[in-house]
C-alpha cells in the first residue's frame, strides 16, 4: 500500500495572479529556504540587540523616537543596532510575501501548502506587533520571550511546507521511529522555551534598567539542562532505531544531523554557563537553537506513514 501526496486541485488563473509567473515546486522550495534563512537572521540580529543592551536603542515603536522613524546620532550604537534589526524585519516580510505568492500561484492548487505559507506570512506582522509591545513595556521579559518564539514558529511552518512539497510518496516507518520523532519535537520545543526563561532570568536583559522574570537563574538553568539531557537520550534512541529498522535514508541522515547539532549545542551551552555567559557564545547558542528547530521539523516531516 502506497500513500500518495496530499490531494491537489486545479483552479483557473485570472486577474492579479496572471501577473505572477507560475512556479515549479523547486521554486517554492527555494523561497522556503529563503524564508528559513531570513528568520534565522532575525534571530541573530534580535539576539544581538538583546546581548548588547540595545533593546531600547529605539525607545518607542513604531517610530524610533517620538520625532523620527530613524535613529539620530545621540542614540549611538544601540540605536543603530536596534534600527538594523527593525530593517531586517522588512526583509523577512518581503520574503514571507514572496513565498506566499509563489505558493498561491502554484498549480495544481495545494491547500496544505497554502495554509502553511499563509500562517508563516501572518507570523511576520504578529512578531512586529509583539516586538513593538516589548519596547513599549520597557522590555518586559515575558513579552520578549514571546517575541523570540515567533521566529521558531515561522521556521517550523516553512520547513513543514518544504517537506510537504515533495512529489514522491511518503515512506512507511515503524511505530517506534514515528514515536521517537514526535518525542524529539516536543523535547526540542520544551528546551527552547525553557531557554527563553533562562535568558529572561539572566543578565542579558536588553537594557540595564529592565527587570527580570523572577525565576531563580540556577534552578531554571538546571531544569533546562535536564530537558536537554532527555532530548539527547530521545535522539540517540531515534538514531539507533532508524538504523535497525526499515526507514528511509533521508530520515537516517536527518536524525544523525539532529544528534550532532544537539551535542554541539550542548557544548556551547555548558561553556557559556561556566564562563559567565559571554555574549558571543550566547548568540551562537541562539543560532544553534534556530537550526535545531529547522532540523527537528525536517525529522518530523520525514517520519512517514505507519508501516503496515
Amino acid at each position: 500500500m502506497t500513500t500518495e501526496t496530499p490531494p491537489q486541485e486545479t483552479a483557473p488563473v485570472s486577474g492579479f495572479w496572471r501577473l505572477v509567473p507560475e512556479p515549479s515546486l523547486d521554486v517554492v522550495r527555494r523561497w522556503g529556504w529563503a524564508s528559513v534563512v531570513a528568520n534565522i537572521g532575525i534571530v541573530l540580529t534580535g539576539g544581538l540587540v538583546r546581548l548588547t543592551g540595545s533593546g531600547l536603542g529605539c525607545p518607542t515603536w513604531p517610530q524610533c523616537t517620538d520625532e523620527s522613524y530613524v535613529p539620530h546620532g545621540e542614540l549611538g550604537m544601540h540605536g543603530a543596532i536596534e534600527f538594523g534589526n527593525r530593517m531586517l524585519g522588512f526583509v523577512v516580510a518581503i520574503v514571507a510575501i514572496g513565498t506566499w505568492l509563489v505558493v498561491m500561484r502554484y498549480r495544481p492548487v495545494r491547500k496544505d501548502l497554502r495554509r502553511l505559507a499563509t500562517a508563516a506570512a501572518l507570523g511576520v506582522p504578529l512578531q512586529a506587533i509583539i516586538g513593538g509591545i516589548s519596547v513599549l513595556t520597557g522590555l518586559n521579559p515575558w513579552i520578549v520571550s514571546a517575541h523570540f518564539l515567533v521566529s521558531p514558529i515561522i521556521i517550523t511552518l516553512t520547513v513543514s511546507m518544504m517537506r510537504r512539497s515533495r512529489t514522491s510518496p511518503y515512506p512507511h516507518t515503524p511505530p517506534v521511529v514515528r514515536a521517537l520523532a514526535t518525542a524529539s519535537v516536543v523535547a526540542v520545543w520544551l528546551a527552547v522555551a525553557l531557554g527563553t526563561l533562562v535568558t529572561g532570568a539572566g543578565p542579558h536583559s536588553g537594557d540595564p534598567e529592565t527587570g527580570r522574570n523572577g525565576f531563580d537563574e540556577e534552578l531554571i538553568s538546571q531544569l533546562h539542562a535536564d530537558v536537554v539531557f532527555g532530548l539527547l537520550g530521545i535522539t540517540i534512541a531515534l538514531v539507533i532505531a532508524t538504523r535497525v529498522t526499515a526507514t528511509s535514508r533521508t530520515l537516517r541522515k536527518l536524525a544523525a544531523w539532529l544528534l550532532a547539532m544537539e551535542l554541539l549545542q550542548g557544548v556551547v551551552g555548558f561553556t557559556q554557563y561556566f564562563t559567565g555567559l559571554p555574549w558571543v557564545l550566547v548568540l551562537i547558542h541562539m543560532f544553534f537553537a534556530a537550526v535545531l528547530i529547522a532540523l527537528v521539523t525536517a525529522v518530523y516531516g520525514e517520519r512517514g506513514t505507519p508501516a503496515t
Side-chain angles (χ1 to χ4, degrees):
M1 178 179 178
T2 301
T3 302
E4 303 297 337
T5 54
Q8 302 177 345
E9 300 178 5
T10 58
V13 178
S14 60
F16 165 79
W17 295 108
R18 291 183 181 273
L19 303 176
V20 181
E22 184 173 344
S24 65
L25 281 176
D26 284 339
V27 171
V28 170
R29 282 189 285 268
R30 283 196 290 271
W31 275 96
W33 273 113
S35 181
V36 171
V37 170
N39 277 281
I40 291 177
I42 204 76
V43 166
L44 287 174
T45 59
L48 190 63
V49 168
R50 185 167 189 170
L51 297 169
T52 59
S54 305
L56 295 177
C58 285
T60 190
W61 186 88
Q63 294 175 275
C64 184
T65 67
D66 290 334
E67 298 81 24
S68 174
Y69 281 93
V70 298
H72 51 70
E74 292 181 4
L75 295 177
M77 178 191 70
H78 294 316
I81 292 174
E82 165 63 7
F83 185 71
N85 182 58
R86 293 188 184 191
M87 290 301 97
L88 184 57
F90 285 105
V91 176
V92 174
I94 291 170
V95 174
I97 292 170
T99 305
W100 181 80
L101 286 173
V102 297
V103 171
M104 296 297 290
R105 182 64 177 86
Y106 176 74
R107 293 296 184 275
V109 171
R110 287 285 300 274
K111 289 186 176 181
D112 56 333
L113 302 187
R114 287 185 169 193
R115 285 192 293 267
L116 290 166
T118 300
L122 292 175
V124 176
L126 174 63
Q127 185 174 51
I129 292 170
I130 297 174
I133 294 172
S134 72
V135 171
L136 297 175
T137 57
L139 301 182
N140 179 291
W142 296 99
I143 298 176
V144 171
S145 293
H147 180 52
F148 165 80
L149 288 173
V150 175
S151 286
I153 291 172
I154 296 174
I155 291 170
T156 296
L157 292 167
T158 307
V159 173
S160 298
M161 183 195 75
M162 289 192 292
R163 301 306 301 178
R164 291 184 69 86
S165 68
R166 64 188 298 158
T167 56
S168 59
Y170 288 89
H172 294 315
T173 307
V176 63
V177 173
R178 290 172 54 80
L180 287 169
T182 301
S184 67
V185 172
V186 174
V188 165
W189 269 100
L190 184 56
V192 169
L194 285 171
T196 68
L197 298 184
V198 172
T199 304
H204 298 298
S205 61
D207 186 86
E209 303 301 321
T210 299
R212 315 311 298 127
N213 60 22
F215 283 108
D216 180 274
E217 189 176 351
E218 289 192 10
L219 179 62
I220 196 67
S221 295
Q222 183 61 58
L223 181 58
H224 175 62
D226 292 342
V227 171
V228 170
F229 282 126
L231 169 61
L232 283 170
I234 292 169
T235 308
I236 290 170
L238 176 63
V239 169
I240 294 172
T242 59
R243 278 158 172 71
V244 301
T245 60
T247 55
S248 71
R249 183 179 179 184
T250 300
L251 181 54
R252 290 197 296 271
K253 286 184 176 180
L254 286 171
W257 275 107
L258 180 64
L259 178 59
M261 180 53 66
E262 289 170 3
L263 291 171
L264 185 58
Q265 174 76 314
V267 170
V268 173
F270 277 104
T271 302
Q272 70 174 14
Y273 181 78
F274 289 110
T275 55
L277 300 174
W279 72 265
V280 173
L281 286 182
V282 177
L283 189 63
I284 293 172
H285 198 58
M286 293 179 67
F287 168 70
F288 286 165
V291 174
L292 269 176
I293 289 289
L295 272 173
V296 80
T297 304
V299 167
Y300 185 77
E302 191 66 26
R303 76 196 187 285
T305 58
T308 56

